[in-house]
Amino acid sequence: MAIDVLCEVNNCKFWEKGNKCAADQIYVVSHKGKKAENQEETDCKTFDPQL
């Protein structure tokens, strides 16, 4: 499992200085079922906007 997960979306509540993701888990989904052909076909469901 990856130790460091980088994220540039700094309006997410899990974002930390240095573009680090502080979430306990990362959940990524595909728009095309179980297989994605490129990054545009995926989304990070872990994203939670800061209030």
Side-chain angles (χ1 to χ4, degrees):
M1 181 183 291
I3 295 172
D4 289 327
V5 176
L6 300 177
C7 178
E8 296 181 0
V9 184
N10 63 5
N11 67 319
C12 180
K13 77 176 191 178
F14 299 112
W15 185 88
E16 288 188 347
K17 187 175 180 180
N19 289 338
K20 302 284 184 176
C21 179
D24 291 335
Q25 298 181 51
I26 307 298
Y27 180 33
V28 178
V29 297
S30 169
H31 301 284
K32 301 281 187 173
K34 299 276 183 185
K35 188 174 184 178
E37 299 290 328
N38 55 55
Q39 65 190 17
E40 287 82 15
E41 294 179 359
T42 64
D43 280 321
C44 177
K45 289 292 187 179
T46 307
F47 172 76
D48 191 2
Q50 292 178 358
L51 300 176

